[in-house]
Amino acid sequence: MIKVLVIGAGAVGAFYGSLLSQAGAEVSVVCRSDYDQVKQHDFIINSQALGRWNFTPAQVLKNVTDFKGTPDYILLCTKIIPTLDRVALIRPVVGRNTSIVFIQNGVEIEQEMLNAFPNNELVSGLAFICCNRTGPGEILHLAYGRLALGNLPNGVSLKTAQLCELFNQSGIDCGAIDNIVTGRWQKCVWNAPFNPLSVLSGGLLTLDILQTQEFFVRSIMQEICDIASAVGHPLPDDIVDTNIENTYAMPPYKTSMLLDYEADQPMETEAILGNALRAARRVSIVAPHLKSVYALMKLRELKLEQH
Amino acid sequence: MIKVLVIGAGAVGAFYGSLLSQAGAEVSVVCRSDYDQVKQHDFIINSQALGRWNFTPAQVLKNVTDFKGTPDYILLCTKIIPTLDRVALIRPVVGRNTSIVFIQNGVEIEQEMLNAFPNNELVSGLAFICCNRTGPGEILHLAYGRLALGNLPNGVSLKTAQLCELFNQSGIDCGAIDNIVTGRWQKCVWNAPFNPLSVLSGGLLTLDILQTQEFFVRSIMQEICDIASAVGHPLPDDIVDTNIENTYAMPPYKTSMLLDYEADQPMETEAILGNALRAARRVSIVAPHLKSVYALMKLRELKLEQH
């Protein structure tokens, strides 16, 4: 039986973990804040598309080091924030044949893992999903759910294809893609404007932002394209247009950063904006709109720390 | 006796009006929100530098049209916001020999007045002051207080020099300057970064902003310099450095825009940022940092309207 250990069982981790469990894998979870609830009453997943189900993990753990056995796959689904050391967090349970799958936001988050685990299979994952934690152990899956997985530095291994297959069996669209790093930049085209703008505006929905400041949104998107291209990941010519059109077609939406902001949780400012700008500096790309948004997010965070 | 009518008797209007009254002018005020209080109990001015005094206006008026007589000077001290028509507001009391003095924030706010009152003396004024309204009819003067006045389109008339003299008699430093329009751009170098950044950060003081984002502040300041120069008002080469140094030396400070924001009052986004950017567009100057800050302020204002 395939052994999966989900680390960071918030909305995303619990949701995808529960799907693998439904598809027949033995899925354990490390969940800190909701440990007591989940240990006693399982996860409850409410999906508007797939129905409602309970998810009973094989092992419910407070700490990674409590895990018994060696996982075939680690599903790392924490947020990427400066105070959390991803490498130190997972190292105790990484076995020789463990595939490390990280389903996380941000760009340029690969090298740290490649350096730390040079002999393991590393899989980078992107989740296109709208889901929230609505209470202890309670996950609401609102819309979407597609996953993209790919090996680092590129390609798709047999084991990654197998994982995709498991996800597809469970009812979610999961695609394996050859160049997942490019895919990460592609996702950033949307995240870089909408996440911080939703926070800095004080809580606007995506459609309000787009309808009043489309030009500004496009400027930020274009800068991400310029950076991606300069670091060797050119994106499709029409990607900005496509993102704008798709966002007009989406229901008005609260971004993940806004949800974190409203829940008084740390935001992925560095993983999304800081990393993109550090890449820009490396290749001498000027990105003044992105820089402005990043500077303002850092000021906002400073103010939050003062409270 | 010199007749002065102060229109917009918030902190700035009441403070400077009270000084002219002390210097012997007959000063009337139009004040809407604090009318009842001021009518019965005068203004109370608390100045850390100049002491405490009562200011009894010659006429306390709810509306401009209630004014009896013709003023020698109108002191227009309202904020500049899109919902307030400055020209319509003062037109009823502008006599043939009335000097119109506007002590207001923002750039490119002159032409509207020049168009509307081509036969009157127009005086543009800049207040470098830190004062707040602390209650109905109560003004707290915390620091500074210098005024700069100059005629439009430039020069200093006899009547303007006379007004400066009155202010100087009352204990405040008032200088007449030949090119007040340049002075206005010069003031904007400071206002353009610190006002919106204090709001968008959620309430940071000037020193926090500067200590963590000096480079970003400098970028915005430099763009104001570029625009000013392109519209014919070149500023001193060292003005950005000087502003940075002076702000490090200032006590940490809440900007006027932040005070408005916290008091749920309309902000001077258009007068300061919007006007600067419209000037930039006219002369084809690219100002991406300023544009970003403006776009974010518009989003913030949109969110405030939704409440």
Side-chain angles (χ1 to χ4, degrees):
Chain A
M1 205 178 196
I2 296 171
K3 283 196 175 74
V4 177
L5 175 60
V6 178
I7 300 178
V12 169
F15 178 72
Y16 288 114
S18 79
L19 292 180
L20 293 177
S21 172
Q22 285 193 320
E26 184 191 303
V27 181
S28 300
V29 301
V30 179
C31 63
R32 283 183 185 215
S33 35
D34 295 351
Y35 174 81
D36 291 330
Q37 175 72 24
V38 173
K39 183 84 184 169
Q40 285 180 42
H41 305 287
D42 306 341
F43 282 103
I44 295 163
I45 318 282
N46 268 301
S47 166
Q48 301 194 340
L50 303 171
R52 181 190 162 95
W53 66 92
N54 276 40
F55 162 39
T56 312
Q59 302 174 46
V60 180
L61 310 160
K62 227 173 192 154
N63 295 296
V64 171
T65 46
D66 301 334
F67 182 68
K68 288 175 191 70
T70 305
D72 299 304
Y73 298 93
I74 287 174
L75 223 64
L76 178 61
C77 299
T78 61
K79 275 190 295 184
I80 298 190
I81 49 174
T83 50
L84 182 82
D85 183 339
R86 293 189 293 161
V87 169
L89 178 66
I90 68 171
R91 194 184 290 284
V93 285
V94 174
R96 191 197 294 192
N97 297 313
T98 302
S99 286
I100 303 167
V101 184
F102 48 95
I103 302 180
Q104 299 181 299
N105 267 324
V107 290
E108 303 239 313
I109 62 171
E110 298 89 1
Q111 199 55 50
E112 180 189 26
M113 302 297 264
L114 285 162
N115 293 347
F117 306 103
N119 302 316
N120 283 83
E121 205 170 289
L122 280 165
V123 183
S124 183
L126 299 169
F128 301 86
I129 188 167
C130 177
C131 65
N132 305 329
R133 175 183 171 281
T134 47
E138 275 187 34
I139 311 299
L140 177 64
H141 171 220
L142 285 153
Y144 312 103
R146 184 167 66 84
L147 269 181
L149 301 178
N151 284 67
L152 294 179
N154 52 45
V156 176
S157 73
L158 205 65
K159 221 175 143 187
T160 300
Q162 225 167 26
L163 187 63
C164 280
E165 185 47 34
L166 272 186
F167 276 118
N168 283 316
Q169 277 170 30
S170 73
I172 212 86
D173 177 22
C174 179
I177 62 177
D178 261 349
N179 201 332
I180 190 71
V181 180
T182 304
R184 206 165 262 293
W185 279 103
Q186 200 151 346
K187 194 180 181 202
C188 190
V189 170
W190 194 93
N191 276 334
F194 285 107
N195 272 294
L197 268 49
S198 64
V199 171
L200 292 169
S201 66
L204 284 181
L205 303 178
T206 48
L207 193 61
D208 289 323
I209 294 168
L210 190 55
Q211 280 176 335
T212 59
Q213 293 293 337
E214 180 180 326
F215 186 82
F216 182 45
V217 168
R218 282 179 178 270
S219 303
I220 299 170
M221 287 183 168
Q222 190 53 55
E223 289 175 354
I224 295 292
C225 293
D226 295 345
I227 300 167
S229 175
V231 296
H233 298 283
L235 305 180
D237 283 343
D238 62 351
I239 192 170
V240 172
D241 287 338
T242 309
N243 266 282
I244 295 289
E245 281 162 33
N246 290 350
T247 309
Y248 271 119
M250 278 166 58
Y253 180 78
K254 279 195 181 188
T255 68
S256 63
M257 212 179 255
L258 178 56
L259 292 173
D260 285 334
Y261 173 72
E262 291 182 342
D264 236 335
Q265 295 294 313
M267 295 178 282
E268 296 186 305
T269 309
E270 290 304 335
I272 298 172
L273 306 173
N275 285 356
L277 280 169
R278 282 180 279 273
R281 191 170 319 136
R282 211 169 63 231
V283 291
S284 302
I285 291 276
V286 181
H289 298 92
L290 195 62
K291 251 181 170 158
S292 299
V293 167
Y294 175 66
L296 283 162
M297 282 299 296
K298 297 310 284 179
L299 290 173
R300 191 79 197 81
E301 290 179 341
L302 175 63
K303 179 65 190 170
L304 290 173
E305 282 166 28
Q306 290 180 353
H307 274 302
Chain B
M1 206 178 196
I2 294 171
K3 284 196 175 72
V4 178
L5 175 60
V6 178
I7 299 178
V12 169
F15 178 73
Y16 288 115
S18 80
L19 292 179
L20 293 178
S21 171
Q22 286 194 321
E26 183 190 305
V27 181
S28 300
V29 301
V30 179
C31 62
R32 284 184 185 213
S33 35
D34 295 353
Y35 174 82
D36 290 331
Q37 175 71 22
V38 173
K39 183 82 186 173
Q40 284 180 42
H41 306 286
D42 303 343
F43 281 103
I44 295 165
I45 318 280
N46 267 302
S47 166
Q48 301 193 339
L50 303 170
R52 181 191 162 96
W53 66 91
N54 277 38
F55 162 40
T56 312
Q59 302 173 45
V60 180
L61 310 161
K62 226 173 193 158
N63 295 295
V64 171
T65 44
D66 299 335
F67 182 69
K68 288 177 191 69
T70 305
D72 298 305
Y73 298 93
I74 287 174
L75 223 64
L76 178 61
C77 299
T78 62
K79 275 189 297 184
I80 298 191
I81 48 174
T83 50
L84 182 82
D85 183 339
R86 293 190 293 163
V87 169
L89 178 66
I90 67 172
R91 195 185 289 284
V93 284
V94 174
R96 190 197 295 192
N97 297 313
T98 302
S99 286
I100 303 167
V101 184
F102 49 96
I103 302 180
Q104 299 181 298
N105 267 323
V107 290
E108 303 240 313
I109 62 171
E110 298 90 359
Q111 199 56 49
E112 179 189 28
M113 301 296 264
L114 285 163
N115 292 346
F117 305 104
N119 301 315
N120 283 81
E121 203 168 290
L122 279 166
V123 183
S124 184
L126 299 170
F128 301 86
I129 187 166
C130 178
C131 65
N132 303 330
R133 174 183 171 282
T134 47
E138 275 188 35
I139 311 297
L140 177 63
H141 171 219
L142 286 153
Y144 311 102
R146 184 168 65 85
L147 268 181
L149 300 179
N151 285 67
L152 293 181
N154 52 45
V156 176
S157 72
L158 206 64
K159 221 175 145 188
T160 300
Q162 224 169 27
L163 187 63
C164 280
E165 186 47 34
L166 272 185
F167 276 117
N168 283 316
Q169 277 170 30
S170 73
I172 213 87
D173 175 22
C174 180
I177 62 177
D178 261 349
N179 200 331
I180 190 70
V181 180
T182 304
R184 204 164 264 291
W185 279 103
Q186 199 150 347
K187 194 180 180 202
C188 190
V189 170
W190 193 93
N191 277 334
F194 285 107
N195 272 295
L197 267 50
S198 64
V199 171
L200 291 169
S201 67
L204 284 180
L205 303 177
T206 48
L207 194 60
D208 289 322
I209 294 169
L210 191 54
Q211 280 175 335
T212 58
Q213 294 293 337
E214 180 180 325
F215 186 82
F216 182 45
V217 168
R218 282 178 178 270
S219 303
I220 299 169
M221 286 181 169
Q222 189 54 54
E223 288 176 354
I224 295 292
C225 293
D226 296 344
I227 301 167
S229 174
V231 297
H233 298 282
L235 306 181
D237 282 344
D238 63 351
I239 191 169
V240 171
D241 287 338
T242 309
N243 266 282
I244 295 289
E245 283 163 31
N246 290 350
T247 308
Y248 272 119
M250 276 167 60
Y253 179 78
K254 279 195 181 187
T255 68
S256 63
M257 212 179 255
L258 178 56
L259 293 172
D260 284 334
Y261 174 71
E262 290 182 342
D264 235 334
Q265 294 294 313
M267 297 178 280
E268 295 186 304
T269 308
E270 291 302 335
I272 297 173
L273 306 173
N275 285 357
L277 280 169
R278 282 180 279 274
R281 190 170 321 138
R282 212 169 62 230
V283 292
S284 301
I285 291 276
V286 180
H289 298 90
L290 195 63
K291 250 180 170 159
S292 299
V293 167
Y294 175 67
L296 282 162
M297 283 298 297
K298 297 311 283 180
L299 290 173
R300 192 79 197 83
E301 289 179 341
L302 175 63
K303 180 65 190 171
L304 290 172
E305 283 166 27
Q306 290 179 353
H307 275 303

